[in-house]
Amino acid sequence: MKKIFALSLGMSILLSGCGTGVFAEPTSTPTMTFTPLPPTDAERATATTTFTITPTFTASPSPTPTWVHQGPDSVEVPILLYHWIAVSPYEDTNYDSPYYVKPEVFDAEMKLLYDWGYTTITTEMLIKAIREGAELPPRPVIITFDDGHMNNYTNAFPIMQKYGFTGVLYLVANYLDAEDYLTVEQIKEMAAAGWEIGSHSISHSDLTSLEPERQRFEVVDSRAILESRLGVPVVTIAYPFGVSNSSVIDYAHFAGYIGGMGLGYTHDQGLTNLFNLQRRDVKGTYDVKQFASFLPWQGDSIFLPTDTPTPTMTPTRTPIPTYTWIVPSTSTP
């Protein structure tokens, strides 16, 4: 109201000046003060507050490798064989057992497989691919452990879990719960984490040297004992020492196994060797570069250890010169 009154007063003065024909410039500029009116209740009700939302960004997951159809029959899958994942008790002697792989070396080998894009699969997946054809990851690998040593649980198991790998335990039935061997509860824990269980006979004898009845006991009954004690399926067998013959393989068929593990240096698996699948024995004397050399698919060399330069040997003495012996002529000049 004050503002309206002040404007009316100013207009009256201006009009009165125009009426007389005389316009007098004011000697000073009047100061007008405006006091804002408080908002009405209706204005308060319609007032809205605008919020600026800060966008959040979610990291895109790494793309899952596309699985590739392999088989039937010919399938390329490396199968690795380990025994002890521990320091050899012969470390301080002249004899270095090839069956002991140090935990730090095993870790480096598993890391290399992980860095190079390998994915562990089960023996059932492999055999399905051989028989029928199946989708497999681009770089499949099977990691097996023979005999059932305690360090497979204490050392190998946590290392493989770190890289998201699972393995296959080939167990000797008579060794369950024995000293320094896996207990039934440890095996069940590993099986619950995705590990497979296979038979490695009952007494770890050379099956090819046994009579047929004993072969049957070692091959057929070992499966029944392991399944009964562990409560898990046992679908493959690994022959002790990697050796078998036609009689042993016949009993493996009779027992209901779907495949058998032998030894070899190739990664080609197929119908002709379904009961003698080729496994590569990983020795404790290998370094990581030797391990990498027999993998079928290589990766970026940045993941390999750096070479240590080998000093060049300098001869400590002058080499003895070699001479050519000339046979003297017997003819007369």
Side-chain angles (χ1 to χ4, degrees):
M1 295 296 291
K2 292 179 180 180
K3 181 178 179 181
I4 296 172
F5 174 76
L7 289 173
S8 300
L9 179 61
M11 289 297 294
S12 301
I13 296 171
L14 180 60
L15 291 172
S16 61
C18 292
T20 59
V22 178
F23 178 75
E25 186 174 340
T27 57
S28 63
T29 304
T31 301
M32 293 182 288
T33 303
F34 300 96
T35 303
L37 297 176
T40 63
D41 291 339
E43 290 173 330
R44 290 193 188 96
T46 57
T48 58
T49 304
T50 303
F51 297 95
T52 302
I53 300 175
T54 303
T56 58
F57 298 94
T58 304
S60 300
S62 300
T64 303
T66 303
W67 286 34
V68 180
H69 187 86
Q70 291 206 47
D73 192 5
S74 180
V75 176
E76 186 174 18
V77 175
I79 305 175
L80 307 180
L81 167 59
Y82 291 92
H83 291 82
W84 282 273
I85 307 301
V87 176
S88 169
Y90 310 105
E91 187 77 14
D92 296 330
T93 67
N94 292 328
Y95 173 72
D96 190 12
S97 172
Y99 298 108
Y100 284 84
V101 176
K102 295 177 181 178
E104 60 270 24
V105 174
F106 180 74
D107 190 309
E109 292 170 351
M110 295 301 102
K111 184 179 185 301
L112 184 67
L113 290 175
Y114 176 82
D115 289 336
W116 279 3
Y118 282 78
T119 303
T120 52
I121 65 170
T122 65
T123 58
E124 289 187 85
M125 293 169 66
L126 168 62
I127 292 169
K128 182 179 179 182
I130 292 173
R131 286 181 166 171
E132 309 169 14
E135 300 294 319
L136 296 179
R139 296 185 173 190
V141 63
I142 297 177
I143 304 173
T144 69
F145 299 82
D146 279 6
D147 304 337
H149 300 285
M150 175 68 73
N151 51 64
N152 294 171
Y153 175 82
T154 56
N155 294 335
F157 184 36
I159 290 173
M160 291 181 67
Q161 280 187 311
K162 180 168 65 172
Y163 298 107
F165 292 162
T166 56
V168 187
L169 293 171
Y170 283 107
L171 304 174
V172 180
N174 281 351
Y175 294 175
L176 298 183
D177 290 325
E179 185 178 0
D180 293 329
Y181 286 89
L182 294 169
T183 68
V184 168
E185 292 306 312
Q186 289 169 337
I187 297 166
K188 287 182 177 180
E189 181 184 344
M190 296 172 79
W195 285 53
E196 277 189 291
I197 308 302
S199 170
H200 199 39
S201 81
I202 285 181
S203 64
H204 202 277
S205 301
D206 178 352
L207 301 178
T208 62
S209 67
L210 304 177
E211 295 297 323
E213 277 303 309
R214 181 61 186 276
Q215 286 181 340
R216 184 188 190 284
F217 174 67
E218 294 280 348
V219 175
V220 179
D221 290 10
S222 63
R223 183 187 185 200
I225 292 170
L226 290 170
E227 288 187 334
S228 174
R229 293 197 62 185
L230 301 173
V232 297
V234 175
V235 297
T236 58
I237 183 171
Y239 314 113
F241 311 105
V243 295
S244 61
N245 56 24
S246 59
S247 177
V248 171
I249 292 175
D250 285 344
Y251 279 122
H253 281 281
F254 177 77
Y257 296 109
I258 62 175
M261 295 283 178
L263 292 174
Y265 297 96
T266 178
H267 310 298
D268 297 325
Q269 320 294 349
L271 290 171
T272 57
N273 68 318
L274 188 58
F275 278 80
N276 190 28
L277 295 168
Q278 300 292 284
R279 290 195 296 172
R280 181 67 181 252
D281 190 6
V282 182
K283 300 184 184 300
T285 52
Y286 293 160
D287 60 24
V288 177
K289 285 198 171 183
Q290 288 173 300
F291 172 80
S293 67
F294 59 74
L295 294 176
W297 305 292
Q298 304 291 302
D300 196 326
S301 60
I302 193 174
F303 297 112
L304 290 172
T306 306
D307 284 329
T308 301
T310 303
T312 303
M313 298 299 294
T314 303
T316 57
R317 60 186 179 85
T318 303
I320 299 174
T322 57
Y323 299 93
T324 302
W325 178 258
I326 302 175
V327 180
S329 175
T330 58
S331 60
T332 304

